[in-house]
Amino acid sequence: MAQVASDGRLRIEIHDDGLGMDPEHLAEVNARLRRSPDPGGGFTNHIGLVVVGCLARHHGIEVEFSPARSGRDGGTTATVLLPASLCSRAS
């Protein structure tokens, strides 16, 4: 799902129907996405998240993981907020 927010940012939600993550793991992943990268800090099994965090910071993108919305059995939702400066409307 994608929609333009009132401030011009583009909000994209990606839903995964996998096993999901427990609340503590979600909190750790989200905290690491917001911090400077530490590839050797026990995060090597999730090197893709290190890359996502670096790219997001570089481009002013916000990324957050949360449990899948109610009604789903397991899964994770990734919410991505692209700044208005990276978006353009089709004419």
Side-chain angles (χ1 to χ4, degrees), residues 47-91:
I47 194 69
L49 294 175
V50 173
V51 173
V52 167
C54 288
L55 289 170
R57 274 188 299 286
H58 180 75
H59 294 288
I61 298 169
E62 295 177 37
V63 179
E64 182 172 74
F65 291 92
S66 60
R69 296 192 187 279
S70 61
R72 294 179 173 262
D73 190 21
T76 304
T77 296
T79 302
V80 180
L81 288 170
L82 298 175
S85 62
L86 292 180
C87 303
S88 65
R89 294 191 182 266
S91 49

Side-chain angles (χ1 to χ4, degrees), residues 1-4 10-13:
M1 174 187 80
Q3 67 186 104
V4 178
L10 180 63
R11 177 188 177 97
I12 303 168
E13 287 187 2

Side-chain angles (χ1 to χ4, degrees), residues 29-40:
V29 165
N30 286 325
R32 286 183 182 239
L33 281 170
R34 289 188 279 279
R35 289 196 307 254
S36 296
D38 180 11

